[in-house]
Amino acid sequence: MVGKQKYQAGDQTLLRQINLSAILNHIRIETPISRAVLAERTGLNKATISNLVNELIDKKFVKELGVKNSGIGRPSSLLVLNPEAGFILSSEIGVDFISVIGTDFSPKILFEVTRKIEPNLDPAIVIEMLISILKKAQNKCTKSVGNNFLGLALGVPGLVDFESGCLLFAPNLQWKDIPLKRILSSEFDAPIFVDNEANLATLGEYFFGNALLYDDVLYLSVGVGLGGGMLREGQLLRGVGGMAGEFGHMTADPNGEICGCGNRGCWETQASQKVLFKYVHEALAKGETSILQESCGHNLDLLNTDLIIDAAKRNDRVALESLKKVGRHLGIGISSLINALNPGIIVLGGILSSAWEILEPEINQELTNRALYWNRESTKVVLGKNGLKSCVMGGIATVYQMILSEPHNNSHIFDNK
Ligand SMILES: [Zn+2]
């Protein structure tokens, strides 16, 4: 009998947790929202909604915005996530930059800095710079919403052991075995998450971007390299070793170029910023002319993606053809992913996604040529919404996911208020 009672008690707690989570998520997605609409969306009765919403207001997760008079029946008060619940910091280390944002719980951005850094700096120097910017962000956010530090996230372009928060290997940084979570834990007193930048960006598009209404999402980040992340029923697919999503390192050409990972002919060697630059160099070496020669002061070491996209938009043949070639290789790989995984939506991010208008027709042409009709028809391919903030917004989303999935367990973070 004791066992049964224990089971029933646990069951009730679990049910309450699930319902609180459902309510918080609906408030997040459809903000501001009334209790009546919440009841409709969740299928819970009005008394239960009222009871659970009161708990969320008590815990400072939710606040009432005011009264909405629809003209029919009693005026209803609208609910939003409470910005003053606390603040979240999120950061990204890229090959040549550090980005940090700080938001309140709504999540309105309170602090935002991107600092260019020299590539190939010593990891200790980069981490020190990151910590210094994060401290500034913490100060700014504390002044705005008080000292409830809800969580800190860091995205890096490499393989991460999510549990320990150790960066195992970042091919484009050439960093190995850096215990990032442990280092940050000695500086900041909050839940800390270190993850692959594309995993974070995937969550970012799911929580705050163009994948908002999809639970099966594949995200591709086309930048210096080609990273990816996948959500299955709203949860990141990590694989048994925690390393899933390395789509860029699928072999696309067994005789292709050597990749940063050491293998030959990875998809990344055909569809990334690196190969875009290579195509431009090759065309110019063949004697083609381009406005890029002038726009980078006849020093091709100064070539960057923005210059190429700008030139392509001005119909520069070298820039346009180079981007189109990358687009075709992206389309070929995406066709295989659609055939294999058939997600609800594929979202394209990373710096090359700024060339979406040029890439999209090439991708679509390859999908028409190569993807199975039924798979293609049921999978949308779209541009990401978060742009260059995709990873840092994903960090905010990671902290959100922790709180929103278990609001009851995470209410301790408000106990010191
Ligand atoms: Zn590779």
Side-chain angles (χ1 to χ4, degrees):
M1 252 342 255
V2 173
K4 192 180 173 195
Q5 280 167 350
K6 264 172 92 176
Y7 174 73
Q8 284 174 331
D11 201 34
Q12 282 303 313
T13 308
L14 181 63
L15 191 62
R16 193 169 182 86
Q17 180 91 274
I18 291 168
N19 289 340
L20 284 168
S21 175
I23 290 171
L24 264 182
N25 271 296
H26 278 288
I27 296 174
R28 173 180 74 79
I29 291 167
E30 220 176 318
T31 195
I33 190 168
S34 67
R35 286 170 175 79
V37 176
L38 270 177
E40 258 176 52
R41 297 286 187 270
T42 58
L44 296 167
N45 68 48
K46 284 183 183 170
T48 307
I49 287 285
S50 181
N51 179 322
L52 294 171
V53 165
N54 285 344
E55 177 176 339
L56 290 169
I57 291 174
D58 282 349
K59 297 287 185 196
K60 297 191 166 57
F61 283 113
V62 168
K63 76 171 194 178
E64 288 182 282
L65 197 58
V67 171
K68 178 187 166 194
N69 196 340
S70 63
I72 308 161
R74 281 196 317 174
S76 57
S77 118
L78 295 174
L79 302 162
V80 291
L81 296 182
N82 183 2
E84 288 163 13
F87 67 92
I88 303 169
L89 298 186
S90 178
S91 55
E92 176 181 12
I93 295 175
V95 170
D96 57 359
F97 68 91
I98 295 172
S99 270
V100 173
I101 64 167
T103 72
D104 63 26
F105 190 59
S106 64
K108 181 180 154 202
I109 294 177
L110 304 172
F111 178 96
E112 186 175 3
V113 161
T114 295
R115 182 170 300 167
K116 282 268 168 200
I117 57 170
E118 290 289 314
N120 308 319
L121 280 179
D122 187 80
I125 295 173
V126 177
I127 293 164
E128 201 183 304
M129 287 165 82
L130 171 73
I131 290 170
S132 153
I133 305 173
L134 283 168
K135 296 257 173 178
K136 280 184 195 148
Q138 184 177 11
N139 277 338
K140 178 82 192 290
C141 293
T142 303
K143 279 180 193 150
S144 295
V145 289
N147 56 10
N148 242 341
F149 194 171
L150 300 173
L152 163 61
L154 167 62
V156 283
L159 299 174
V160 175
D161 180 311
F162 183 70
E163 288 303 315
S164 69
C166 181
L167 170 63
L168 303 176
F169 178 49
N172 293 310
L173 288 171
Q174 285 301 316
W175 289 13
K176 255 186 180 174
D177 299 321
I178 316 261
L180 291 168
K181 185 170 170 179
R182 207 177 71 207
I183 296 168
L184 292 174
S185 302
S186 64
E187 299 284 341
F188 299 98
D189 184 18
I192 292 173
F193 303 89
V194 179
D195 206 345
N196 170 276
E197 57 96 13
N199 272 349
L200 291 186
T202 310
L203 273 181
E205 285 295 331
Y206 179 57
F207 272 77
F208 311 118
N210 285 336
L212 187 65
L213 300 174
Y214 294 82
D215 285 335
D216 293 292
V217 181
L218 196 148
Y219 176 85
L220 292 171
S221 166
V222 198
V224 174
L226 175 54
M230 190 165 177
L231 290 177
R232 177 99 183 98
E233 294 178 357
Q235 298 297 318
L236 273 169
L237 208 68
R238 294 189 179 276
V240 287
M243 305 302 157
E246 292 298 329
F247 301 108
H249 298 289
M250 298 188 303
T251 302
D253 177 3
N255 303 313
E257 302 274 326
I258 296 284
C259 176
C261 74
N263 292 332
R264 188 178 283 281
C266 295
W267 187 24
E268 176 173 307
T269 65
Q270 299 182 330
S272 63
Q273 181 178 270
K274 252 190 253 175
V275 71
L276 174 66
F277 292 176
K278 190 184 127 212
Y279 292 151
V280 170
H281 278 264
E282 283 174 354
L284 297 178
K286 274 190 212 155
E288 290 190 51
T289 54
S290 161
I291 56 174
L292 285 167
Q293 288 156 308
E294 201 172 316
S295 57
C296 60
H298 295 276
N299 177 3
L300 285 181
D301 290 343
L302 299 178
L303 196 62
N304 65 48
T305 298
D306 288 341
L307 286 177
I308 298 174
I309 294 172
D310 184 54
K313 285 180 179 165
R314 290 157 64 193
N315 277 323
D316 181 83
R317 195 183 133 80
V318 168
L320 201 55
E321 287 307 316
S322 300
L323 277 167
K324 283 183 173 180
K325 212 152 133 187
V326 170
R328 286 196 290 277
H329 283 297
L330 271 174
I332 292 168
I334 291 172
S335 301
S336 295
L337 291 172
I338 284 182
N339 286 346
L341 301 167
N342 192 203
I345 192 166
I346 296 181
V347 184
L348 201 74
I351 189 162
L352 253 72
S353 67
S354 316
W356 176 247
E357 286 166 31
I358 299 159
L359 300 175
E360 188 193 17
E362 305 300 317
I363 292 171
N364 283 340
Q365 186 58 53
E366 293 302 333
L367 297 190
T368 306
N369 292 347
R370 295 168 196 278
L372 294 169
Y373 171 82
W374 301 271
N375 301 43
R376 189 177 77 226
E377 286 298 299
S378 50
T379 299
K380 275 179 79 171
V381 183
V382 302
L383 174 66
K385 185 180 173 189
N386 295 324
L388 298 179
K389 287 209 230 354
S390 58
C391 173
V392 282
M393 286 313 291
I396 304 292
T398 299
V399 177
Y400 253 60
Q401 195 177 47
M402 167 196 74
I403 296 171
L404 268 55
S405 63
E406 296 189 326
H408 202 69
N409 288 353
N410 283 301
S411 61
H412 66 277
I413 55 185
F414 298 104
D415 289 348
N416 59 358
K417 281 212 112 178

